Amino acid sequence: MLDKRLTKIFCDIFIKEILKCNKPGTHFTKDGWLKIMANFEKEACKTYSQRQLKYRWDALRKEWNACRNLNVKILV
């Protein structure tokens, strides 16, 4: 589980890779994942596998969608 500091590092790395076009559609490229893992290990001083990072990415995306949907329902 990532704490707040690691989650911020995690999100910043993912945003950088998206802006570098390493996520051409709905998924990251192989090169994108390698860079994500290397940068996360470098910045967070922790090693996680691609699978672990992908699970965290999916979980954060679900939380974000739930909050977004809740805000839409409240505003309507």
Side-chain angles (χ1 to χ4, degrees):
M1 188 69 166
L2 303 178
D3 60 17
K4 286 182 182 182
R5 182 184 71 84
L6 291 178
T7 300
K8 172 143 179 38
I9 291 169
F10 176 84
C11 290
D12 289 343
I13 290 170
F14 272 74
I15 290 168
K16 288 176 191 173
E17 290 305 314
I18 290 169
L19 294 175
K20 291 179 186 175
C21 297
N22 283 323
K23 187 176 182 265
T26 59
H27 62 283
F28 286 96
T29 62
K30 189 173 211 172
D31 186 49
W33 276 112
L34 292 174
K35 289 178 181 177
I36 288 168
M37 290 187 301
N39 288 333
F40 188 79
E41 183 176 353
K42 180 178 144 191
E43 292 184 32
C45 300
K46 294 192 181 248
T47 303
Y48 288 95
S49 69
Q50 177 182 342
R51 174 179 259 171
Q52 290 171 308
L53 292 174
K54 184 176 181 327
Y55 284 150
R56 185 63 183 145
W57 172 254
D58 291 342
L60 285 173
R61 191 173 50 189
K62 285 179 185 176
E63 287 178 31
W64 182 83
N65 282 327
C67 288
R68 186 184 67 177
N69 290 338
L70 182 61
N71 286 337
V72 168
K73 289 178 183 176
I74 290 173
L75 295 174
V76 172

